[in-house]
């Protein structure tokens, strides 16, 4: 069954596939302007940066997956004008895009951001918390969507809103205000208030080393209207639930045990519920969001809900009224192209995860398992473990011949410090002794302050020293892919990393290509998932 959006033929009444770009003016096709609005009036009269920001990216993700962005053909110009755009990256640094595979394909990374902005009457009514009306919005929902280069699989990683990170320096493109980099670990949801969604993108890129292609956001009211347009999504709880504390906190969600098809305000309550699921933390809220997203994907792909032009029109209107995207997604034609890419992924190859983390007081921080997940995405490795085994890459040796060992000048630096440990004492000296014992008579220990490197690395400043650097690596058993050109050094420099804190022999770390259990992976085809209800938030028949 085709998942492309369809319209009714005016002559026959039969459904037919349509491409929204057919309604796009020829001079705009493939362009970035397309009638979208840039953020307007964000400063005055209590209108914060989060204006129209979609709070629940879960909904828009599922909509995009099944190609509903194609609804733009209904009245392209009007809907195209609804779309608001913002800058993709407000940081000073950029991450290089991945190298295309043999078929010329590259992975696709989209950051889904949800703002808690209460900047309109409808959002204030739905969101509550009067004390926050008109305040600086927080990025309370953050999910990185990774689509593999060959479009065979999709992985989604949620980051808890209280995750402690270093927010980089960001500059607001509208007024030029500079937000300095955070000097202490800061909750990741504060990044949205440092100039806009582009700072949240910059924060993710700095933390993960992953190039991000696009971002998307939606708000409270948008979730309600889109959930109604879709017709509801089945969700499951293992007991009766009422998300309400004695002091009035909670989303207000009230459901009976079992599976219920939810829409409208109830769908919003489900996505916002923290009090009542599991241990009442954001980790369980993320699980509930994953379950909703997966269920919506199954629902939309299994039914012809979106073949009705009237329903498509309502959904398209709701989505474009609420959505904020980067310039690269700033027209319906571009969103339609994205939809076509996303819907290539089979449902059983979509994996939802939460960034592995540990408690730090009442906040969390990424763990070593989180870096494993990020590395797998950087290397385009599927989190569902179903990738075909790829032959190991052979390290490329330099064409530059190495000088005799005794003539190679090597500077050795202690880089064994890490986030959790101080530098191991004397490592620069002990590895220098190891090198001189192997015939590198000109090896010297750098006495400057220790630095931090996750892995041992050898850097060289120019091509004529590449052979020398590789010769040092071979002598120590360091892989050649850990030998890198860098203008930050003046000669061949060995950084003894946190992976070599002791011992005379360097051991190559074993590569982990399995998703850690701590990521709580959930496959989109799993229709048996059911949220665990906290016993303190259950109710019996007849109780209010």
């Amino acid at each position: 069954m085709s998942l492309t959006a369809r319209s009714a033929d005016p002559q026959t009444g039969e459904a037919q596939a349509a491409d929204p770009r057919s309604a796009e003016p020829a001079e705009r096709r493939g362009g970035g302007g397309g009638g979208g609005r840039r953020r307007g009036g964000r400063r005055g009269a209590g209108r914060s940066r989060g204006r129209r920001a979609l709070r629940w990216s879960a909904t828009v993700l599922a909509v995009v997956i099944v190609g509903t962005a194609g609804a733009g053909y209904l009245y392209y110009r009007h809907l195209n004008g609804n779309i608001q755009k913002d800058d993709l990256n407000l940081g000073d640094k950029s991450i290089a895009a991945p190298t295309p595979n043999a078929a010329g394909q590259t992975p696709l990374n989209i950051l889904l951001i949800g703002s808690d902005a209460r900047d309109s009457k409808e959002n204030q009514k739905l969101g509550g918390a009067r004390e926050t009306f008109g305040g600086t919005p927080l990025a309370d929902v953050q999910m990185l969507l990774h689509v593999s280069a060959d479009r065979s699989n999709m992985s989604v990683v949620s980051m808890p809103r209280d995750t402690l990170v270093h927010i980089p320096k960001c500059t607001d493109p509208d007024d030029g205000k500079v937000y300095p980099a955070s000097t202490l670990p800061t909750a990741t949801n504060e990044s949205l208030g440092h100039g806009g969604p582009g700072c949240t993108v910059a924060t993710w890129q700095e933390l993960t080393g992953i190039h991000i292609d696009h971002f998307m956001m939606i708000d409270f009211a948008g979730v309600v209207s889109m959930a109604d347009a879709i017709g509801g999504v089945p969700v499951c709880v293992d007991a009766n639930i009422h998300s309400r504390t004695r002091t009035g906190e909670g989303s207000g969600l009230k459901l009976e045990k079992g599976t219920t098809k939810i829409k409208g305000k109830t769908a919003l309550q489900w996505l916002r519920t923290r009090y009542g699921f599991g241990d009442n933390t954001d980790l369980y809220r993320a699980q509930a969001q994953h379950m909703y997203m997966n269920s919506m994907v199954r629902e939309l792909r299994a039914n012809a809900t979106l073949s009705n032009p009237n329903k498509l029109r309502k959904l398209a209107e709701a989505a474009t009224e609420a959505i904020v995207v980067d310039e690269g997604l700033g027209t319906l034609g571009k969103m339609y192209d994205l939809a076509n890419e996303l819907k290539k992924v089979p449902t059983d190859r979509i994996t939802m995860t939460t960034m592995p983390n540990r408690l730090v007081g009442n906040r969390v921080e990424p763990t070593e398992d989180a870096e494993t997940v990020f590395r797998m995405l950087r290397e385009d490795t599927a989190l569902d473990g179903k990738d075909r085994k790829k032959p190991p890459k052979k390290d490329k040796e330099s064409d530059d011949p190495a000088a005799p060992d005794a003539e190679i000048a090597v500077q050795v630096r202690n880089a064994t410090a890490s986030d959790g440990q101080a530098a191991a004492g004397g490592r620069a000296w002990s590895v220098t002794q190891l090198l001189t014992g192997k015939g590198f008579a000109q090896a010297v220990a750098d006495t400057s302050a220790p630095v931090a490197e996750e892995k041992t690395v050898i850097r060289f400043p120019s091509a004529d020293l590449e052979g020398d650097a590789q010769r040092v690596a071979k002598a120590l058993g360091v892989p050649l892919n850990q030998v890198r050109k860098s203008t930050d050094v003046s000669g061949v420099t060995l950084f003894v990393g946190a992976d070599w804190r002791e011992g005379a022999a360097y051991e190559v770390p074993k590569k982990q290509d399995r998703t850690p259990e701590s990521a709580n992976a959930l496959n989109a085809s799993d229709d048996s998932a059911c949220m665990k209800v906290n016993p303190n938030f259950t109710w019996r028949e007849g109780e209010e």
Side-chain angles (χ1 to χ4, degrees):
M1 168 182 170
S2 172
L3 296 172
T4 305
R6 305 179 73 84
S7 62
D9 186 293
Q11 301 297 322
T12 66
E14 294 181 355
Q16 59 180 4
D19 184 331
R21 291 168 298 178
S22 62
E24 186 174 3
E27 65 272 16
R28 287 185 179 174
R29 292 176 194 168
R37 297 195 303 272
R38 184 166 168 76
R39 298 170 294 168
R42 295 180 301 125
R43 306 295 183 195
R47 297 169 76 182
S48 67
R49 176 171 297 279
R51 185 174 183 273
R52 296 185 185 275
L54 289 169
R55 172 67 167 85
W56 296 112
S57 48
T59 303
V60 81
L61 169 63
V63 168
V64 169
I65 286 173
V66 295
T68 56
Y73 73 91
L74 293 172
Y75 41 112
Y76 182 88
R77 292 178 185 272
H78 168 68
L79 295 180
N80 210 45
N82 286 344
I83 302 171
Q84 294 189 88
K85 300 183 285 290
D86 212 324
D87 292 68
L88 176 62
N89 182 7
L90 302 185
D92 289 341
K93 300 178 182 178
S94 60
I95 301 293
T99 302
N101 62 17
Q105 303 164 306
T106 55
L108 186 62
N109 295 299
I110 305 170
L111 186 61
L112 308 174
I113 308 170
S115 166
D116 71 348
R118 292 159 172 84
D119 52 357
S120 68
K121 289 184 178 179
E122 186 66 17
N123 282 338
Q124 289 168 3
K125 178 182 177 181
L126 293 168
R130 290 181 175 274
E131 69 278 5
T132 67
F133 287 7
T136 302
L138 300 171
D140 273 359
V141 175
Q142 299 177 36
M143 300 180 184
L144 181 64
L145 165 65
H146 173 87
V147 187
S148 65
D150 62 4
R151 307 301 188 248
S152 67
N153 66 88
M154 182 188 303
S155 302
V156 180
V157 180
S158 292
M159 184 189 296
R161 65 179 183 175
D162 292 333
T163 301
L164 295 174
V165 298
H166 287 282
I167 299 175
K169 172 186 173 184
C170 291
T171 303
D172 189 318
D174 287 350
D175 57 17
K177 181 176 180 179
V178 176
Y179 294 82
S182 59
T183 55
L184 296 173
T186 305
T188 185
N189 61 354
E190 294 184 22
S191 60
L192 186 60
H194 288 216
C199 193
T200 306
V201 169
T203 300
W204 268 80
Q205 289 195 152
E206 183 155 308
L207 174 68
T208 66
I210 296 171
H211 172 81
I212 295 176
D213 301 281
H214 303 292
F215 74 79
M216 305 174 75
M217 301 193 299
I218 61 181
D219 69 12
F220 294 147
V223 169
V224 171
S225 58
M226 284 193 286
D228 283 341
I230 290 167
V233 173
V235 296
C236 177
V237 289
D238 69 355
N240 295 345
I241 181 174
H242 188 197
S243 176
R244 184 68 69 198
T245 68
R246 292 180 179 177
T247 56
E249 295 177 295
S251 70
L253 177 71
K254 190 172 185 179
L255 294 176
E256 294 182 356
K257 176 181 178 180
T259 299
T260 305
K261 200 166 192 177
I262 60 174
K263 59 182 180 178
K265 185 177 179 180
T266 306
L268 177 63
Q269 290 174 330
W270 174 276
L271 293 166
R272 296 184 62 207
T273 294
R274 182 180 72 178
Y275 295 111
F277 289 147
D279 59 3
N280 300 331
T281 64
D282 278 330
L283 303 182
Y284 277 89
R285 171 154 55 188
Q287 288 184 24
Q289 292 168 3
H290 294 165
M291 185 184 298
Y292 183 91
M293 293 165 72
N294 285 342
S295 183
M296 180 176 285
V297 171
R298 295 193 302 270
E299 189 75 5
L300 291 173
R301 290 189 172 186
N303 299 298
T305 306
L306 298 176
S307 63
N308 183 303
N310 186 51
K311 290 183 178 180
L312 268 174
R313 185 181 300 112
K314 290 180 180 179
L315 183 58
E317 191 76 48
T320 56
E321 273 292 316
I323 200 165
V324 179
V325 297
D326 64 279
E327 292 283 350
L329 290 178
T331 68
L332 282 169
K334 292 177 179 178
M335 294 173 66
Y336 179 78
D337 289 339
L338 173 64
N340 281 334
E341 291 300 299
L342 296 179
K343 70 182 183 182
K344 293 175 183 177
V345 181
T347 303
D348 63 359
R349 295 299 309 278
I350 299 174
T351 305
M352 307 284 175
T353 65
T354 300
M355 181 198 75
N357 60 82
R358 56 175 160 253
L359 281 171
V360 180
N362 61 349
R363 304 291 177 90
V364 300
E365 66 180 8
T367 63
E368 294 76 12
D369 282 352
E371 173 52 30
T372 295
V373 171
F374 298 148
R375 178 185 56 75
M376 290 175 70
L377 297 189
R378 287 195 300 269
E379 297 176 357
D380 199 21
T381 301
L383 296 187
D384 63 6
K386 297 178 182 178
D387 271 345
R388 293 180 180 177
K389 293 296 181 181
K390 301 175 184 177
K393 291 183 179 180
K394 187 176 181 180
D395 292 329
K396 182 181 178 181
E397 294 196 21
S398 173
D399 294 330
D400 172 52
D405 292 354
E407 297 177 13
I408 298 177
V410 187
Q411 196 171 53
V412 183
R413 293 200 64 180
N414 186 342
T416 56
S418 64
D419 290 339
Q421 290 180 302
R427 285 305 286 164
W429 180 85
S430 59
V431 176
T432 298
Q433 292 298 106
L434 177 63
L435 278 171
T436 56
K438 291 179 176 289
F440 292 87
Q442 295 192 44
V444 294
D446 189 325
T447 57
S448 56
V451 291
E453 293 283 352
E454 179 188 348
K455 289 184 179 180
T456 295
V457 62
I458 300 170
R459 297 190 171 98
F460 61 95
S462 56
D464 62 320
L465 290 177
E466 183 177 22
D468 292 356
Q470 288 194 355
R471 172 62 196 134
V472 173
K474 290 177 183 178
L476 295 174
V478 176
L480 295 187
N481 61 18
Q482 290 170 223
V483 178
R484 299 165 190 167
K485 185 178 179 181
S486 172
T487 56
D488 293 335
V489 295
S490 57
V492 176
T493 306
L494 166 62
F495 292 82
V496 183
D499 59 346
W500 196 12
R501 293 177 59 85
E502 59 185 8
Y506 179 75
E507 295 183 8
V508 180
K510 292 183 179 179
K511 192 174 180 180
Q512 172 61 271
D513 277 343
R514 294 184 60 186
T515 303
E517 291 185 10
S518 56
N520 295 316
L522 179 64
N523 188 276
S525 63
D526 182 1
D527 59 3
S528 66
C530 205
M531 285 303 299
K532 179 178 176 60
V533 175
N534 187 302
N536 295 323
F537 289 85
T538 192
W539 54 276
R540 299 176 184 174
E541 291 292 338
E543 293 181 346
E544 291 294 330

